[in-house]
Amino acid sequence: MSRLVVISNRVAVPKARGAAGAQGGLAGALNSALRKNGGIWFGWSGQDCEAFTGDIHVQRSSDGVTTATIDLEKQDVEEYYNGYANSTLWPLFHYRIDLTEYEREFGKGYERVNERFAESVLPLVEDGDLVWVHDYHLMPLGERLRARGLKNKLGFFLHIPWPPANLFVSLPYHERLVKSLLHYDLIGFQNDTWLESFLHYCAKELGAEVDRDSCTVTLDGRTTIARAYPIGIDYDHFMQKGATDEAKHAEERLSLSLRGRTCMIGVDRLDYSKGIPERIDGIGRFFDEHEDRVEDLVFIQIAPPSREDIGSYQKIREELEQKCGQINGARSDVDLVPIRYVNKGYSQEELFGFYRASKIGLVTPLRDGMNLVAKEYVAAQDPEDPGVLVLSRFAGAAQQMQDALLVNPHSPDDLAHNIRLALDMPLEERKDRYNKLIGTVREDNVLRWTQDFIGDMELLG
Ligand code: F6P
């Protein structure tokens, strides 16, 4: 088995608190791959410094994963992380050109940091290592590594959607970005929709030769393989967490607090792509239409803050606080608060317990590469009395999870309607849907995902 060099913006900090889903699926997924293959995980330390030194901090975590990190300059963090990655690419790739900022300095910072990553990681790579780069922060890295003489097999996985060509062309220098991406040998997407958008762009805008049978894109004499590899959860690991006292205690703690009412739960990083304010509108609509049921239902939204230096994230937080406040103001009583909005993260054990105590899981992003909260929610259910997953049709996960109640997250009516269906769903139908969903959650897990991707990298010529 070849050693793995995983490169991503963030590396998982051992024993960090926070939901796997809420942190983003990337951290948990990569940790599992490295535990299995051995190798190094390289990325940004999350710290800033006055002047870039290129010093590498190496750490070995208790589960045997070696991480190597670099600090970035304040200006790097501003222009690369807060700037190009999260104020340009993130909104654009989630179809939000209204929030996308096109600043020249952001682009320069992005190029500079990708160059710094290339320079720093190269000495750590040995002959025969598979080099696997992750996500939108590091699209040009492959080209930079090749320019510095790297000969290893080189793969890239995009964890977020790929937008339709007519949105993507709003990005200045879009051709340059995609041409640099085509220096990878293998590019993975979360599902066929994002893959198809990418292939369509390559053919239409770059004039590349796209062969859908062999999944190849050829441009300027170089051929790249592009395929869909839907990511899953670390099922066994998550189930072990669910068997702990901490998980049982969390389930009991939440159940006791409900005093007989039904719990509906949402768990997301506080991000505008997750559709949280729209979800609250749907719940408001449900209460308006079913006044008699306000006392039956408690909605818990767990939303740890994210990317707090960026204006659009500050705005979404204010909007959400206002909407929750409005509904609670109008619908609360001395012993009843319909929405519990919690601004912090929890351990995986606690989340397992919370999911299990919740008879409805509301996972309604406006756009999402995959969404692992949907899979964790299903995994945590009691097979004899499972809850109902209400899932956005715009989450990548919807392609595999057709037996959830699929909703349009933009429509308060559709959300309200599906909340009612979920609340009133008979046990037989709940079991039937659960039995169909749990198969894909269990089988299409993160180990299969890494095996599929790494297996295809090994096969590269
Ligand atoms: O899944 C997308 C992603 O950007 C991951 O790369 C990242 O781990 C997660 O979301 C959380 O974002 P951030 O690292 O910006 O906090």
Side-chain angles (χ1 to χ4, degrees):
M1 199 186 319
S2 308
R3 207 177 74 124
L4 206 54
V5 176
V6 169
I7 311 173
S8 61
N9 174 58
R10 263 187 213 281
V11 301
V13 183
K15 297 212 182 306
R17 265 177 90 76
Q23 279 182 344
L26 187 59
L30 294 184
N31 225 3
S32 311
L34 279 157
R35 274 202 310 266
K36 188 156 176 286
N37 276 59
I40 298 178
W41 187 353
F42 180 89
W44 172 40
S45 61
Q47 304 297 320
D48 55 39
C49 56
E50 283 312 316
F52 181 72
T53 61
D55 290 349
I56 299 174
H57 322 288
V58 178
Q59 251 186 304
R60 201 171 157 79
S61 73
S62 54
D63 52 7
V65 175
T66 301
T67 57
T69 55
I70 49 170
D71 300 341
L72 291 176
E73 279 177 22
K74 279 194 175 60
Q75 191 184 348
D76 289 341
V77 177
E78 206 37 54
E79 293 173 355
Y80 148 80
Y81 175 72
N82 288 326
Y84 201 76
N86 288 317
S87 298
T88 307
L89 296 179
W90 178 272
L92 177 63
F93 279 49
H94 288 84
Y95 298 38
R96 294 296 300 269
I97 47 173
D98 57 319
L99 297 178
T100 304
E101 294 177 32
Y102 305 94
E103 295 292 339
R104 191 186 320 158
E105 295 309 315
F106 292 174
K108 284 192 191 158
Y110 184 71
E111 306 259 332
R112 184 175 65 245
V113 170
N114 270 271
E115 195 65 58
R116 288 183 166 170
F117 263 64
E119 177 191 334
S120 308
V121 76
L122 196 65
L124 305 180
V125 182
E126 295 170 8
D127 285 351
D129 286 350
L130 300 178
V131 180
W132 189 6
V133 178
H134 290 261
D135 235 354
Y136 57 101
H137 315 85
L138 300 173
M139 289 201 267
L141 181 61
E143 183 186 21
R144 300 300 145 90
L145 288 167
R146 287 281 185 246
R148 287 170 177 272
L150 183 100
K151 298 277 184 288
N152 301 54
K153 293 172 179 173
L154 195 52
F156 176 84
F157 188 83
L158 184 69
H159 291 257
I160 65 174
W162 187 278
N166 55 5
L167 292 186
F168 188 63
V169 293
S170 70
L171 182 73
Y173 308 111
H174 53 88
E175 299 96 336
R176 193 160 90 200
L177 187 67
V178 180
K179 281 182 179 173
S180 72
L181 198 54
L182 291 173
H183 281 74
Y184 290 98
D185 302 314
L186 175 65
I187 305 177
F189 296 89
Q190 295 275 25
N191 70 19
D192 293 335
T193 309
W194 320 137
L195 170 65
E196 187 47 47
S197 296
F198 174 74
L199 296 178
H200 175 67
Y201 170 88
C202 290
K204 184 168 170 258
E205 297 294 331
L206 302 184
E209 193 188 314
V210 171
D211 183 338
R212 284 180 169 73
D213 294 331
S214 59
C215 302
T216 52
V217 181
T218 303
L219 187 71
D220 301 334
R222 196 178 25 252
T223 296
T224 297
I225 299 174
R227 287 212 175 107
Y229 301 86
I231 202 169
I233 61 169
D234 192 345
Y235 181 79
D236 292 338
H237 194 63
F238 190 57
M239 297 312 279
Q240 280 163 18
K241 303 260 173 199
T244 58
D245 288 345
E246 194 182 346
K248 296 213 166 61
H249 177 69
E251 183 184 350
E252 279 163 20
R253 181 180 158 210
L254 179 54
S255 300
L256 269 177
S257 79
L258 297 172
R259 289 183 287 120
R261 286 184 284 159
T262 299
C263 184
M264 183 161 75
I265 195 165
V267 178
D268 313 80
R269 254 185 333 100
L270 218 175
D271 191 298
Y272 49 80
S273 66
K274 304 293 181 185
I276 314 174
E278 292 78 2
R279 191 178 304 165
I280 303 295
D281 288 343
I283 294 166
R285 183 68 51 91
F286 174 80
F287 287 145
D288 292 345
E289 286 175 355
H290 305 278
E291 300 230 344
D292 54 319
R293 305 196 74 167
V294 177
E295 292 189 12
D296 295 348
L297 194 64
V298 177
F299 176 58
I300 299 188
Q301 176 64 54
I302 294 175
S306 173
R307 305 175 189 164
E308 292 174 274
D309 294 331
I310 302 174
S312 48
Y313 286 78
Q314 292 156 5
K315 251 176 93 184
I316 191 87
R317 185 169 179 167
E318 284 163 22
E319 190 187 348
L320 193 53
E321 280 164 7
Q322 205 185 19
K323 280 186 190 281
C324 291
Q326 269 166 1
I327 294 185
N328 280 341
R331 302 276 177 199
S332 292
D333 211 326
V334 288
D335 57 353
L336 176 114
V337 180
I339 299 181
R340 299 180 193 170
Y341 168 53
V342 187
N343 233 205
K344 64 175 187 180
Y346 290 91
S347 68
Q348 280 202 302
E349 289 85 348
E350 289 169 306
L351 283 176
F352 189 105
F354 296 158
Y355 291 140
R356 196 160 172 115
S358 303
K359 288 297 149 210
I360 304 175
L362 267 190
V363 183
T364 58
L366 304 180
R367 199 68 56 177
D368 212 333
M370 173 54 70
N371 198 300
L372 295 180
V373 170
K375 297 187 174 185
E376 287 182 352
Y377 175 77
V378 171
Q381 295 311 299
D382 174 358
E384 295 309 318
D385 185 18
V388 180
L389 174 65
V390 177
L391 177 63
S392 164
R393 57 183 61 250
F394 305 126
Q399 239 180 47
Q400 293 167 296
M401 303 184 90
Q402 292 284 311
D403 291 292
L405 287 180
L406 295 183
V407 288
N408 173 0
H410 297 279
S411 161
D413 285 337
D414 199 30
L415 283 162
H417 173 66
N418 279 282
I419 290 169
R420 195 190 59 73
L421 288 182
L423 261 179
D424 296 339
M425 191 179 286
L427 178 62
E428 277 320 298
E429 185 179 347
R430 283 191 277 128
K431 277 183 162 176
D432 188 43
R433 287 178 183 269
Y434 164 82
N435 285 327
K436 289 174 176 149
L437 290 169
I438 194 69
T440 180
V441 172
R442 196 192 297 121
E443 305 308 323
D444 301 326
N445 57 43
V446 75
L447 294 180
R448 173 168 301 178
W449 174 74
T450 51
Q451 276 163 8
D452 287 351
F453 194 93
I454 292 167
D456 282 356
M457 274 182 85
E458 303 260 22
L459 291 177
L460 292 165

